[in-house]
Amino acid sequence: MSTGRLTIDLDAVVANWRALDDMTQCKTAAVVKANGYGLGAANVAKALFRAGARNFFVAVAEEAIPLREALGDKPDISVFSGHMKGDTDLIRDLRLTPMLNSLDQVTTHFEALPGHPFGIQLDTGMNRLGMEAQEWAAVAELVLGQNPTLVMSHLACADEPDHPMNPHQLENFRKMTDGIHSPRSLAATGGILLGPDYHFDLTRPGIGLYGGHPFTNANPVVELDLPVIQVRDVAEGEVVGYGNTWQAARPSRVATISGGYADGIFRILSDKVTLFHGNQPCKLVGRVSMDLLTVDITDLADTPEKLTLIGQQQSIDDLANVGKTIGYEVLTQLGARYHKRTYGK
Ligand SMILES: *Cc1c(COP(=O)(O)O)cnc(C)c1O
């Protein structure tokens, strides 16, 4: 097998969900959009369902197809993008709960599927999804009369605990929802960590389940090992890879390993990132190619069969920092070519 091996620890996902659940007095959902942040939505959701999760969120209705099949009828599957034209059949047949984002969506939903469960998404300042205060004021009474399953909003800066946007959005959310009888939700992973004022009736963690920042105490969930295809000696002064960006300053041994930007190993990591053989760091040299990386293994005592890019030595957030991005993007860009090994219950 010459593709990288992505190992996904579902016990760690479950432990992370439990730890986040233990931080609140309310219900804890699980966000499994983008195929469970790249790790396999069906497997993740099944493990969390067994652990007690009963509310799942996806970004778009289509993402619910494998999920409903894996989970059966019991759990609630909600859709952040709400009820778009063309979604009606899926929402009805899979019994999805759309989080309605606008007057338009409220009208679409009430006309197409009268009596079908729905939630409401409010905009409290992020200006991305949801009804604004004025719009909400005009329809709140009518909508609340239909008993939404959830009234929710989303925080823009929850990963920065001291950001003034957090209390600002909290205040807006309270103004728009205090006194209603429907369950409320404001917090994703970052919001959970902001404390009980932000918890309301349901939290919606995503990245924390998968071991990412800002849940710094999370159990790591993924390991990515890339097999060595070939090893060569490179004389002092010789160059390696596209564009000759790296030149050997000493007699070197260079391993060519399977994995490249087509596998979500960003090209910006060229000449920057470190891989690991056990505890021993080995620097990537030269450019990241589409399918291959070249790594300086001169200082290793033996020739490795594989090198580790994500694991104990380097978290998804460490890798994200080197690539000037965030753990979310590292996870969701993990390639389709990897051999995925999922273990745990
Ligand atoms: C993605 C998303 C979440 C989960 O956010 P994390 O930061 O991954 O915990 C929750 N709510 C909404 C509306 C989202 O889009």
Side-chain angles (χ1 to χ4, degrees):
M1 175 109 30
S2 67
T3 67
R5 193 168 81 168
L6 184 70
T7 307
I8 299 158
D9 181 353
L10 292 179
D11 291 338
V13 175
V14 167
N16 290 334
W17 183 78
R18 290 210 167 107
L20 291 164
D21 187 45
D22 284 346
M23 289 178 201
T24 74
Q25 304 292 320
C26 65
K27 281 194 200 169
T28 303
V31 177
V32 292
K33 60 190 180 186
N35 191 28
Y37 289 45
L39 302 185
N43 286 334
V44 165
K46 271 194 285 188
L48 291 175
F49 180 71
R50 276 194 287 268
R54 291 294 177 269
N55 304 87
F56 296 87
F57 285 88
V58 290
V60 295
E62 286 79 357
E63 291 181 323
I65 298 170
L67 216 55
R68 184 55 87 198
E69 197 178 311
L71 293 174
D73 282 346
K74 246 189 172 172
D76 188 59
I77 304 177
S78 299
V79 183
F80 286 136
S81 61
H83 192 148
M84 309 251 297
K85 294 222 162 37
D87 286 347
T88 304
D89 290 351
L90 271 179
I91 290 173
R92 182 190 53 231
D93 296 349
L94 298 183
R95 290 166 313 288
L96 309 179
T97 309
M99 298 290 121
L100 306 178
N101 287 300
S102 63
L103 267 179
D104 253 13
Q105 288 204 348
V106 169
T107 310
T108 301
H109 186 73
F110 285 9
E111 280 176 4
L113 298 174
H116 186 101
F118 67 95
I120 292 289
Q121 193 159 181
L122 301 176
D123 180 64
T124 50
M126 186 177 187
N127 283 308
R128 191 179 67 166
L129 279 180
M131 280 187 252
E132 304 209 357
Q134 246 183 335
E135 217 180 350
W136 175 235
V139 293
E141 202 178 314
L142 171 92
V143 166
L144 291 168
Q146 301 292 314
N147 295 318
T149 58
L150 192 69
V151 176
M152 60 165 281
S153 187
H154 193 52
L155 298 167
C157 305
D159 57 345
E160 298 175 56
D162 299 326
H163 202 295
M165 186 67 165
N166 297 321
H168 174 68
Q169 285 192 268
L170 176 63
E171 192 190 331
N172 285 343
F173 189 59
R174 299 209 80 118
K175 273 192 201 148
M176 291 164 87
T177 62
D178 271 354
I180 71 172
H181 298 294
S182 305
R184 294 187 284 179
S185 175
L186 181 60
T189 303
I192 295 173
L193 304 172
L194 294 179
D197 286 352
Y198 290 82
H199 295 166
F200 295 92
D201 301 299
L202 178 87
T203 62
R204 311 181 310 270
I207 193 71
L209 306 175
Y210 309 101
H213 179 87
F215 185 26
T216 31
N217 293 331
N219 301 282
V221 170
V222 287
E223 178 167 326
L224 178 58
D225 298 309
L226 305 171
V228 175
I229 300 173
Q230 191 182 7
V231 172
R232 78 183 66 245
D233 292 316
V234 175
E236 185 181 336
E238 281 195 293
V239 289
V240 171
Y242 282 125
N244 295 358
T245 59
W246 187 79
Q247 185 170 32
R250 59 174 177 168
S252 304
R253 272 176 80 65
V254 171
T256 302
I257 68 177
S258 181
Y261 58 76
D263 303 294
I265 301 166
F266 307 123
R267 206 165 160 278
I268 195 176
L269 298 172
S270 298
D271 283 308
K272 284 205 188 88
V273 78
T274 298
L275 292 92
F276 289 86
H277 175 50
N279 284 329
Q280 285 171 282
C282 308
K283 271 191 68 83
L284 182 92
V285 295
R287 284 200 187 143
V288 174
S289 304
M290 186 186 293
D291 321 295
L292 298 166
L293 306 174
T294 37
V295 182
D296 183 354
I297 59 163
T298 313
D299 296 327
L300 296 187
D302 49 1
T303 302
E305 276 179 19
K306 60 179 171 88
L307 292 170
T308 303
L309 183 63
I310 302 171
Q312 295 296 333
Q313 312 303 330
Q314 183 160 254
S315 71
I316 55 171
D317 292 302
D318 296 335
L319 189 61
N321 287 339
V322 182
K324 296 190 172 22
T325 180
I326 52 177
Y328 298 74
E329 194 178 21
V330 169
L331 282 181
T332 54
Q333 295 307 303
L334 289 169
R337 287 194 289 203
Y338 295 133
H339 173 66
K340 275 194 188 146
R341 196 175 75 95
T342 302
Y343 70 98
K345 290 196 281 301

